[in-house]
Each structure stands twice: as C-alpha cells, then as structure tokens.
Amino acid sequence: MALSGVRVLELAGLAPAPLCAMILADFGARVVRVDRVPRSAVAADAQGRGKRSLALDLKRAAGAAALRRLCRAADVLVEPFRHGVMEKLGLGPEVLLEENPRLIYARLTGFGQTGKYAKSAGHDINFLALSGVLSKLGRKDENPYAPLNLLADFAGGGVLCAMGIIIALYERTRSGKGQIIDASMVEGTAYLSSFLWKSQNLGLWNRPRGENLLDSGAPFYETYRTSDGKYMAVGAIEPQFYEQLIKGLGLDSDKLPSQLSFSDWPRMKKMFASIFAQKTQEEWCSIFDGADACVTPVLSFDDAVSHQHNKQRGSFIKNDQEEISPRPAPLLSRTPAVPSFKRDPFIGEHTEEILLEYGFSKEEIAKLHSENVIEFSKPKANL
Ligand SMILES: C[C@H](CCC[C@@H](C)[C@H]1CC[C@H]2[C@@H]3[C@H](O)C[C@@H]4C[C@H](O)CC[C@]4(C)[C@H]3C[C@H](O)[C@]12C)C(=O)SCCNC(=O)CCNC(=O)[C@H](O)C(C)(C)COP(=O)(O)OP(=O)(O)OC[C@H]1O[C@@H](n2cnc3c(N)ncnc32)[C@H](O)[C@@H]1OP(=O)(O)O
C-alpha cells in the first residue's frame, strides 16, 4: 500500500483526528492510537479501523517519557488538543522535533495554534461559524444550518490534516526533515470554500441565504418529496440537463419562464414539488435513470448500500463483525487502500505488543504496568 512503513502515533480525541489517522491506516500506515489512562468518559472511537491501541497515562512523568521514546521512532504524531495541552505535558513540538528531526508533528485543532481563540474549546459548528461558511448554509428565512459535523470536523479538519501529513511526508523525502502542521478547522473549512470566496463577483451568491443557485433557491437544484415519503435530488444546472428535467416532469419548456428567471423560482419550485409528489421514488427513478437530467434518488444508508450502482463498484464494505462502512476513497490503480476487516481495537488491547515493537523491554513494560502508567485490555467492548 502507498503508506506502508509509515509509523503514526495518534493521540486519542474526538471526531476529526480519528478520521485523519484512519485514512492513513486505510492506505497502509501503521497507526497506533494512544488512549487515555485513566479512561476518558467520552472514549469512543468509531473510526478505529486498522489501528492498534496503546493505553498510556501522559500525565505521569513516566508516561510522557514513554511517548517521547515512541516519537523518536515514529514518522508522524497527530495530536487533537487545544493549544497548550501538549506543552503542559512537556510534549511540545520543540521537544519532540529536537529528539527526532524527521518527525511530522500534526496539530489538529479548531482554532489553530495562535490567535484569540487558540486556547478555547469548540466543536464543528463553532469552527464552521468562524470560517464564514455557516452563514451561507440554510434555507430562506431560516437560521443557518450545520450539515451534521461533516464540514469542519471531517472535511476541513480530518481530511485536510491527512493531506498536510502526506505533503510533509513527500517533502521529507527531499529534505530529510519533519515539520509542524498547524491544521485549524476554521481555516480548513474556509479553504474548502475557496470557490465561494473567489466566485463572489460572478453574481452567484449575492442574494440572501436560500435564494441563490446552489443553496436551495433554484428550483432545479433542490430536493423534492415523492408520493411514498422519500425524496429525489435535482441538480439540473446546465440548460441541456434542465431541458431533460423538464421533459421528465412532463412539462413543456416553451410554456415555462426561462430557467434563470429568479423572480419565477419560488413559483417553479412549488410546481416541481407538486409534480414530484405524484409518483413514488422508484417511479421517478425509472423515468430519470439513464436520462441526462441530473436527477437521483435521496438514499438512506441502507438503500445506498443496496443501490445497484454502489454495489457494482463495491463502494461499501463489511468487516468481520458484519459492520458496514464506506470503502476508502479514492481508488488508486496500483496501490489501492486495503482496509482492515477486523473489528476496531479495544482500548489498551495492543499496549504490550506496541511497546515491545518500539524497543521497550519486558521489564520496562512490567514496571510501567505495575505503576499504572499503562493499561492492558482484555478483549471486551469499549462502551
Ligand atoms: C461535534 C463533534 C463532537 C462529537 C463528539 C461525540 C462523538 C461524543 C460527545 C459525547 C460522547 C458520548 C458521551 O460521552 C456519553 C457516552 C460515553 C461512552 O464512553 C461512549 C458513548 C457515549 C454515548 C459518547 C459517544 C461519543 O463519544 C460522544 C457522542 C466535534 O466537533 S469533535 C471536534 C472537537 N474539537 C476539537 O477537536 C478541537 C480541538 N480540541 C479541543 O478544543 C478540545 O480537545 C475539546 C474537544 C474541546 C475537548 O476539551 P477538553 O477540555 O476535554 O480537552 P483538552 O483541553 O484538549 O485537553 C485534553 C486533556 O486530556 C489530557 N490527556 C490527553 N491524553 C491523555 C492521556 N493519554 N493520558 C492522560 N491524560 C491525557 C490532557 O493532558 C488534557 O488535560 P488537561 O485538561 O488537564 O490539560
């Protein structure tokens, strides 16, 4: 796999860092998740695929020293705490990079390492809000709406941090040097929205929220309820696709206002809604499948797994616990990701094997254990 041989240490956190490290594991990195001792009340990594777990108390001097030793032999460290936490533990980047100048020290936070909010707690919705992007999301006359925690936590956070790590690994092949990655979810989300920023003078976004082309203002970029209580997604932007949409709906474009007549959009949306409400989702699929109208069913998770297209591509996988999840993306032709089919690791399940692998002796491990600096776990559920 593309990242074979890359050793990653992930300090356990909430949603974004676990995704970042799972991506690295899916593509071949050997990822060790460093879990808390004593266990945290919010300890539940649903993104542990392909990782092993080492339970280590970083607040004890011997625990922090153990992490320093692990970092001397690692390629990447991913830490998810607000600024100052690692420094307080004596595990700041100056210390770890001095001991291992090749280390890539990835700091995945909401607000970044500097600035007024660097030490503030926050969650996805806060980062999305500060990036400016949340102000654009939502329907007309409604409050801004955060699409789960997909945008800041995962896209602007986990994915962009993984990209930063890959870029730094690539650069290290030339310089031989590691570096610090300051991955702020506010900035990651803002960066993802570059198109919105850079297209402002195109007149696409100058109307109030919910009245623009892609924010549910346009009748041809919307979801519509079907007679069986399901939904269809319509994305017929270009005129040739819009024409196919109109045809599929049984309408005559000569008798309709022009596609880009903003003032007619509310009326057109009502008309489309009443037409979509007359057939089931399946009936609409049989009309639009194969037509270039950019109309697709809105699928539940179950329906997505069993949809013919996704089945043909093997887009979802099942692990040995029968748990279904999306296959890693993108597909690389020669060195594709090979996701683990084993269950996610229990906290502390691999403590001993990891420490041995990183050069600790059996005696050292026994001492750490007797002092409760590390924990071993018997295979039982985390929750
Ligand atoms: C919207 C998402 C968040 C989704 C979260 C949900 C997935 C979970 C939230 C509630 C969970 C459920 C609940 O807990 C009940 C059940 C519990 C059960 O165990 C599992 C099932 C549950 C139902 C459980 C299920 C799920 O887990 C939940 C539903 C997000 O937006 S995530 C993004 C969050 N933001 C960031 O990542 C930005 C950067 N980070 C931060 O701002 C902060 O880290 C954060 C997230 C605000 C947390 O702040 P906190 O004060 O708690 O932490 P820090 O300041 O970072 O400091 C960490 C302290 O921990 C010490 N420490 C770390 N590692 C170790 C170690 N190995 N050993 C010892 N100590 C360690 C560290 O030294 C710090 O100590 P100090 O505070 O003393 O400095």
Side-chain angles (χ1 to χ4, degrees):
M1 278 189 281
L3 298 180
S4 290
V6 175
R7 283 174 142 191
V8 177
L9 299 169
E10 170 206 352
L11 303 189
L14 295 179
L19 175 69
C20 170
M22 189 182 84
I23 293 170
L24 302 176
D26 283 340
F27 284 89
R30 279 179 77 71
V31 177
V32 170
R33 191 183 66 210
V34 180
D35 284 303
R36 297 191 194 192
V37 174
R39 289 183 186 206
S40 154
V42 290
D45 178 7
Q47 302 169 101
R49 184 167 65 211
K51 303 176 187 174
R52 291 179 298 159
S53 165
L54 160 70
L56 177 65
D57 187 350
L58 296 176
K59 289 213 167 152
R60 308 278 297 279
L67 188 78
R68 283 169 65 168
R69 196 162 150 191
L70 293 165
C71 285
R72 288 203 283 274
D75 297 291
V76 178
L77 173 72
V78 183
E79 68 95 355
F81 313 123
R82 44 188 146 164
H83 177 72
V85 169
M86 289 297 275
E87 283 77 0
K88 213 161 66 180
L89 293 167
L91 297 167
E94 298 75 23
V95 177
L96 299 186
L97 276 162
E98 194 182 330
E99 294 178 354
N100 177 5
R102 288 175 56 80
L103 183 69
I104 289 156
Y105 191 119
R107 318 196 76 173
L108 177 45
T109 62
F111 299 112
Q113 299 301 316
T114 52
K116 176 177 168 170
Y117 290 161
K119 293 197 177 192
S120 304
H123 290 105
D124 172 278
I125 196 166
N126 309 116
F127 316 140
L128 194 56
L130 212 68
S131 73
V133 175
L134 186 54
S135 72
K136 299 284 183 198
L137 305 178
R139 291 184 174 273
K140 183 173 158 59
D141 298 329
E142 290 182 10
N143 292 0
Y145 176 77
L148 305 174
N149 61 333
L150 288 171
L151 276 181
D153 274 2
F154 296 122
V159 172
L160 283 196
C161 186
M163 191 177 84
I165 290 168
I166 308 293
I167 293 168
L169 281 168
Y170 179 69
E171 191 280 339
R172 196 182 69 171
T173 62
R174 292 196 299 251
S175 68
K177 292 183 186 152
Q179 54 185 313
I180 304 162
I181 297 173
D182 177 358
S184 140
M185 291 186 244
V186 173
E187 288 164 10
T189 312
Y191 188 38
L192 281 179
S193 71
S194 297
F195 166 74
L196 304 186
W197 289 83
K198 291 168 74 66
S199 65
Q200 286 183 90
N201 57 3
L202 296 182
L204 293 171
W205 310 113
N206 45 7
R207 299 161 67 83
R209 183 173 57 246
E211 295 182 31
N212 298 282
L213 186 71
L214 303 180
D215 67 356
S216 79
F220 50 84
Y221 205 87
E222 212 359 333
T223 56
Y224 292 99
R225 196 176 159 94
T226 55
S227 64
D228 53 348
K230 297 184 177 181
Y231 294 89
M232 296 299 286
V234 175
I237 301 174
E238 296 84 344
Q240 68 275 28
F241 306 139
Y242 182 72
E243 189 54 41
Q244 292 299 315
L245 167 69
I246 295 301
K247 205 170 137 198
L249 291 176
L251 295 168
D252 179 353
S253 52
D254 291 340
K255 296 187 179 137
L256 296 174
S258 89
Q259 182 186 0
L260 292 181
S261 171
F262 296 112
S263 58
D264 287 302
W265 280 2
R267 184 170 69 84
M268 292 295 288
K269 276 175 80 162
K270 282 193 185 137
M271 187 193 298
F272 286 6
S274 74
I275 297 173
F276 272 108
Q278 290 164 18
K279 293 188 189 342
T280 64
Q281 187 186 64
E282 202 180 331
E283 287 169 332
W284 283 118
C285 285
S286 64
I287 289 171
F288 284 114
D289 273 5
D292 254 350
C294 306
V295 179
T296 46
V298 176
L299 300 178
S300 65
F301 273 21
D302 284 346
D303 291 345
V305 171
S306 60
H307 190 276
Q308 191 186 14
H309 175 81
N310 294 334
K311 278 173 87 168
Q312 284 166 346
R313 284 184 56 82
S315 307
F316 294 90
I317 53 176
K318 201 184 261 185
N319 71 8
D320 60 14
Q321 309 283 293
E322 300 287 298
E323 179 195 76
I324 297 174
S325 61
R327 182 184 60 191
L331 288 179
L332 272 59
S333 65
R334 278 189 306 100
T335 57
V338 182
S340 167
F341 285 86
K342 292 189 197 146
R343 60 160 171 74
D344 290 359
F346 299 131
I347 290 175
E349 184 176 351
H350 308 97
T351 299
E352 186 174 19
E353 95 178 33
I354 292 163
L355 291 175
L356 285 170
E357 191 178 296
Y358 274 77
F360 288 70
S361 67
K362 287 225 170 209
E363 293 70 33
E364 286 173 316
I365 295 170
K367 185 161 185 285
L368 289 170
H369 191 235
S370 69
E371 291 168 352
N372 297 321
V373 174
I374 55 174
E375 263 183 22
F376 304 138
S377 164
K378 314 204 176 15
K380 63 178 166 63
N382 280 338
L383 300 181

